[in-house]
Amino acid sequence: MTRTLLTGNAAAAWGARLARIDYLPAFPITPQTEIIETVSRWIADDEMRCRMVMLESEHSMLTAAGAAASTGVRTFTATSSQGLLYGMEMLYTIAGWRVPLVLINVSRGLSAPITLEPDHNDILAARDSGCLQFHCATCQEVVDAILIAYRVAEQPQVRLPVIVNLDGFSLSFTREPVSLPDDETAARFLPAFRHDAGEFRGGRPASKAVAVIGGGAYSYFRYETHLAAMAAIDAYGEATRDFEQLFGRRYPSIECYRNDDAEISFVMIGSFATKAKEAVDRLRDAGHKVGLVRPFMLRPLPEADLRAALDGKAGIAVIDQNLAPGRGGILHGEVTSVLYGLKTRPAALLSYIGGLGGRDIGVEEFFQIAADVRAAIASGATPAPRLLYTQSELTDMRKMQAVAHVEAAGEELAS
Amino acid sequence: MYRIRFHGRGGQGMKTASRLLGTALFKSGLEVQDAPKYGAERRGAPMLAFVRADRRPIHERGTVVSPDLVLVADETLFQVPVAGVMAGVKASTVLAIASQKPENVWRDRLKIDSPIYVLPQSEAADDEIPDVSALIAGAAARLTGLVSQEVLRQAVEEEIAPYGPKAVAFNLRAAGEGFGAMAAGEGSVGESLDQGADSYDKPDWIDLDLDLAATAAPNVYAAANSVLVRTGLWRTLRPVLDPENCGKCVWVCGSSCPDGVIGVDANGYPDIDYQHCKGCMICVVQCPRHAFAAIPEQDAAEAAQAAQMAQMEGTAS
Ligand code: SF4
Ligand code: SF4
């Protein structure tokens, strides 16, 4: 195991390499393209044995990925943002095909307005697709998540695609130290994909993904997909136990940081959660009992673990790096429903939206959030969800609008 | 609530029938719901439509499972289990069947006590699936006893107007015919009682087990299973060969059949697999010698049955 500096994209490429992928259908999109470029270079240099095919869109790319996986070859692909949405139809479809593969999503805010930097609205748009979701917070997690993802996806009880999410820029282009598993141990953890009766093979014709008419048949397949996704909770537990034994790194489905004795918990997913860790440390230094709860596995949602992490807390702040217009934070809704019915559920459950399009969340903002939660606990009144935004950001925005002559257009409309 | 179900084949106009009746009931002051139910089937395949009518707003949705009136536009559907003609039929359900056979034959065949009315079929043009929508709708209107002939006329005019005056005239005549034929059954359809919240049939819910993906993915592993789909049931016209006129050029008719169901028999004549011939009549049109005749399916089935009987008697003696 060597420790080396890698970007999140390079880590993803290494994950694919260590997983000994057979097939890589691809289509470029920023900030994901580097992953494909890296793997293609390895293939060209004979460092990897893999068939790579450029497709004409993400829709075709996911179709090819699903079709390849249904033949029993280990399939890997990657996309981001608009690309994920362009392939969305096939995301639901390949989950219904019940094929194991790993898709990397490099999170990036969605159009319009179009942007390049990260938030989680792209990956959360795929939340209900039937694909499982792992959310990475570091480049190390990216490599490890890919190996774990194949183990879970290929489990006979599961057989579903897994999306491994890493944030654009803050992980994709950011180098940090990564311990790379060696080939041999990686192969011990993740043996060759074992074909089974369900696989499609030449010489044995079968119709995959047939149409059904009638709610009874349709419901059966949808319910089974749900049961398989739920079965991934156990499969994940088993895979991560083996992983810890071989590599010494623990991957609980819900990471809890200084949370055991915490009175207040931050809940976040993705790489910005490490900022919350930093804030937790400093809040602790100042004498505040604050912790962090970070779902690594979001689908299936490990409800029991999440409950255990949050039950009995005095207050919680869910910080969503996404926005469902007309509702608010997506994670906030999920956390709320998990806590409902608990007798000792936290009295204060606050919602914050931040980090959209890569907007920073400053450490002072975490401090203020903690102060808000303390005030809510004291007063018993939950404040309205807050959209994190500062006066100076608005001032800058107004300047841009002035350059764009937005005011003039507004006056014209008003007159 | 009145719950009415129409059974026919794609092309017979059951959706139109449900709309005609729906409009007529609506114009008669009732709250109404009408809808067709489609599968992926085509013309000739069994299909159904239904109408609900009530004095109060209707909250029930979906297929009518417990009908008060069932109308059958094509009697051959009784032999087609997937058509589900008799599904949910109870003693109080009124049956109206378009048929040449009298009521007692049907009572004998179906072995039920429900009231049965036979709707004599008018001569159908034999080159297409007859549209009997207005005939059936007229019959249904009379059986409910809720619609006057005048309101039925208005409904037909309103619904059929987009197809032009000729179609309106034809359908008015047909609706009148259906209405007239059911005089004896006027008002025989009653409203069935709804299930009470305290005395219901408990749903046999189960906790679904996890099946492995090989089972639980929507896959079909059986080879050549499309033969199990008896597309022959979609047929309303049957191509029947007259060997006298046939020149044994089977590559002509055989290659024109979109379903590939024309083979060659031992004597070199075309041999049709009637289980899967869906009656598109392409072979009839393509044959240069006009050796295929298009026979209405019902006549053909009866003739075939008679021939079989004769043959059996022949072998017996
Ligand atoms: S039915 Fe017509 S086309 Fe077919 S073999 Fe006979 S003559 Fe030829
Ligand atoms: S009618 Fe003739 S062409 Fe059409 S399916 Fe039957 S045999 Fe084939």
Side-chain angles (χ1 to χ4, degrees):
Chain A
M1 212 177 284
T2 48
R3 207 144 177 273
T4 171
L5 281 179
L6 287 179
T7 62
N9 280 347
W14 269 105
R17 178 169 169 164
L18 290 165
R20 304 174 317 288
I21 60 165
D22 300 307
Y23 180 63
L24 168 66
F27 189 80
I29 184 168
T30 302
Q32 164 280 122
T33 309
E34 259 182 12
I35 302 174
I36 304 300
E37 285 172 348
T38 307
V39 175
S40 74
R41 202 166 44 241
W42 285 335
I43 296 172
D45 294 347
D46 265 346
E47 289 182 59
M48 263 179 86
R49 281 196 51 195
C50 172
R51 171 88 179 177
M52 173 173 160
V53 178
M54 293 301 295
L55 276 302
E56 79 281 9
S57 73
E58 289 84 356
H59 190 280
S60 307
M61 180 185 91
L62 287 172
T63 310
S70 76
T71 68
V73 302
R74 192 167 278 158
T75 304
F76 178 86
T77 187
T79 189
S80 175
S81 186
Q82 303 303 124
L84 187 73
L85 263 64
Y86 195 73
M88 188 64 72
E89 178 186 8
M90 290 317 296
L91 220 50
Y92 278 68
T93 302
I94 60 176
W97 289 358
R98 303 294 308 278
V99 288
L101 58 93
V102 173
L103 164 67
I104 298 290
N105 183 64
V106 185
S107 259
R108 164 182 152 190
L110 292 172
S111 185
I114 202 155
T115 190
L116 290 176
E117 285 175 83
D119 66 41
H120 297 147
N121 264 110
D122 58 353
I123 178 70
L124 290 176
R127 184 189 62 169
D128 303 332
S129 64
C131 300
L132 311 182
Q133 289 197 3
F134 297 170
H135 288 258
C136 301
T138 65
C139 296
Q140 179 69 63
E141 286 185 9
V142 174
V143 188
D144 297 348
I146 291 169
L147 297 175
I148 296 167
Y150 277 112
R151 269 283 293 266
V152 174
E154 291 171 3
Q155 254 281 314
Q157 274 77 20
V158 180
R159 291 294 159 99
L160 285 169
V162 181
I163 308 177
V164 171
N165 194 71
L166 61 125
D167 294 332
F169 290 80
S170 57
L171 288 186
S172 74
F173 301 153
T174 301
R175 288 207 311 162
E176 54 189 29
V178 173
S179 285
L180 273 183
D182 61 82
D183 292 342
E184 205 180 304
T185 324
R188 258 174 68 204
F189 174 73
L190 180 69
F193 179 29
R194 206 170 52 78
H195 295 224
D196 74 6
E199 261 79 58
F200 199 51
R201 243 161 280 169
R204 201 194 61 180
S207 307
K208 301 283 279 185
V210 299
V212 297
I213 301 289
Y218 183 76
S219 300
Y220 167 80
F221 291 114
R222 297 293 293 165
Y223 288 160
E224 285 294 338
T225 301
H226 172 63
L227 294 176
M230 296 308 282
I233 292 179
D234 282 351
Y236 179 84
E238 194 190 298
T240 48
R241 266 194 300 282
D242 287 357
F243 192 90
E244 187 183 354
Q245 257 175 19
L246 287 169
F247 303 103
R249 288 189 292 277
R250 280 190 66 229
Y251 282 97
S253 64
I254 307 283
E255 187 201 13
C256 293
Y257 181 72
R258 303 187 79 168
N259 187 60
D260 283 359
D261 66 338
E263 285 157 5
I264 291 172
S265 303
F266 294 142
V267 181
M268 280 187 91
I269 53 172
S271 63
F272 273 23
T274 60
K275 291 164 165 286
K277 272 187 186 174
E278 181 61 29
V280 163
D281 286 345
R282 296 204 217 163
L283 282 159
R284 288 270 177 178
D285 290 346
H288 301 294
K289 286 189 162 178
V290 179
L292 167 72
V293 171
R294 176 179 70 94
F296 174 80
M297 180 162 73
L298 197 69
R299 282 293 178 275
L301 187 68
E303 287 202 11
D305 292 350
L306 194 51
R307 255 187 220 127
L310 297 175
D311 194 10
K313 301 291 174 213
I316 290 172
V318 183
I319 303 157
D320 271 286
Q321 203 177 351
N322 66 76
L323 178 59
R327 165 60 181 85
I330 295 170
L331 208 54
H332 175 256
E334 300 241 325
V335 170
T336 308
S337 72
V338 162
L339 296 176
Y340 189 84
L342 291 181
K343 288 208 176 60
T344 49
R345 66 172 182 272
L349 178 55
L350 280 64
S351 170
Y352 293 85
I353 311 291
L356 301 189
R359 179 208 181 265
D360 193 29
I361 303 178
V363 73
E364 70 288 353
E365 293 188 298
F366 286 103
F367 298 160
Q368 189 54 48
I369 289 170
D372 284 2
V373 179
R374 286 196 301 274
I377 295 166
S379 70
T382 300
R386 174 166 290 286
L387 311 175
L388 298 180
Y389 210 62
T390 60
Q391 183 55 53
S392 65
E393 283 176 299
L394 185 61
T395 306
D396 287 346
M397 186 64 224
R398 289 292 181 236
K399 282 184 202 156
M400 281 191 262
Q401 285 176 318
V403 174
H405 288 203
V406 170
E407 252 170 284
E411 272 159 28
E412 240 170 70
L413 276 181
S415 66
Chain B
M1 190 189 309
Y2 295 90
R3 299 173 175 92
I4 299 152
R5 213 166 61 203
F6 297 85
H7 291 269
R9 291 178 178 278
Q12 282 188 302
M14 289 306 96
K15 177 184 172 185
T16 308
S18 70
R19 291 178 61 112
L20 289 171
L21 180 67
T23 300
L25 288 164
F26 185 55
K27 283 179 178 298
S28 306
L30 284 101
E31 294 294 313
V32 166
Q33 204 186 69
D34 64 53
K37 185 160 181 200
Y38 295 111
E41 301 88 354
R42 285 166 261 176
R43 208 172 151 76
M47 67 82 69
L48 57 88
F50 49 85
V51 173
R52 288 187 176 90
D54 204 344
R55 308 267 168 211
R56 324 176 287 141
I58 297 169
H59 297 132
E60 194 174 278
R61 291 206 179 278
T63 310
V64 163
V65 291
S66 180
D68 304 309
L69 170 61
V70 169
L71 298 113
V72 188
D74 182 327
E75 61 174 66
T76 60
L77 289 175
F78 281 102
Q79 294 135 37
V80 182
V82 291
V85 177
M86 297 300 285
V89 169
K90 54 209 171 204
S92 61
T93 307
V94 175
L95 280 164
I97 308 164
S99 175
Q100 260 22 232
K101 298 181 192 69
E103 183 257 349
N104 59 328
V105 171
W106 284 108
R107 181 162 306 288
D108 205 43
R109 274 197 194 172
L110 300 173
K111 304 202 179 3
I112 50 165
D113 300 327
S114 308
I116 298 175
Y117 297 96
V118 169
L119 184 59
Q121 272 178 304
S122 45
E123 284 298 304
D126 60 15
D127 61 346
E128 60 172 277
I129 296 172
D131 181 337
V132 291
S133 51
L135 180 81
I136 296 282
R142 190 69 178 271
L143 289 168
T144 63
L146 300 167
V147 177
S148 70
Q149 196 155 11
E150 170 54 22
V151 171
L152 177 65
R153 192 187 57 74
Q154 289 170 15
V156 172
E157 277 176 352
E158 192 175 306
E159 286 293 328
I160 307 296
Y163 305 99
K166 244 180 90 180
V168 172
F170 170 84
N171 282 282
L172 279 175
R173 196 160 5 91
E177 218 176 285
F179 194 87
M182 291 295 110
E186 173 155 22
S188 59
V189 178
E191 289 181 88
S192 50
L193 289 175
D194 295 328
Q195 261 202 119
D198 291 327
S199 60
Y200 59 93
D201 301 327
K202 211 171 172 226
D204 55 345
W205 282 345
I206 54 159
D207 292 325
L208 203 58
D209 286 330
L210 173 76
D211 286 338
L212 295 189
T215 308
N219 299 339
V220 176
Y221 303 107
N225 57 82
S226 55
V227 295
L228 298 175
V229 182
R230 302 256 308 271
T231 44
L233 296 172
W234 301 3
R235 191 175 58 235
T236 51
L237 290 172
R238 178 187 294 212
V240 175
L241 183 74
D242 174 9
E244 298 278 299
N245 289 331
C246 177
K248 303 190 184 179
C249 47
V250 185
W251 61 89
V252 177
C253 53
S255 60
S256 71
C257 172
D259 283 58
V261 298
I262 304 182
V264 192
D265 73 10
N267 302 316
Y269 289 108
D271 183 18
I272 295 179
D273 166 11
Y274 287 116
Q275 302 257 13
H276 298 99
C277 156
K278 63 185 181 215
C280 66
M281 298 296 109
I282 288 173
C283 57
V284 174
V285 174
Q286 289 300 317
C287 170
R289 290 166 169 252
H290 310 294
F292 280 121
I295 314 285
E297 186 54 28
Q298 208 171 305
D299 300 352
E302 271 158 25
Q305 214 172 8
Q308 206 181 3
M309 294 284 275
Q311 204 183 8
M312 273 163 65
E313 273 162 29
T315 43
S317 61

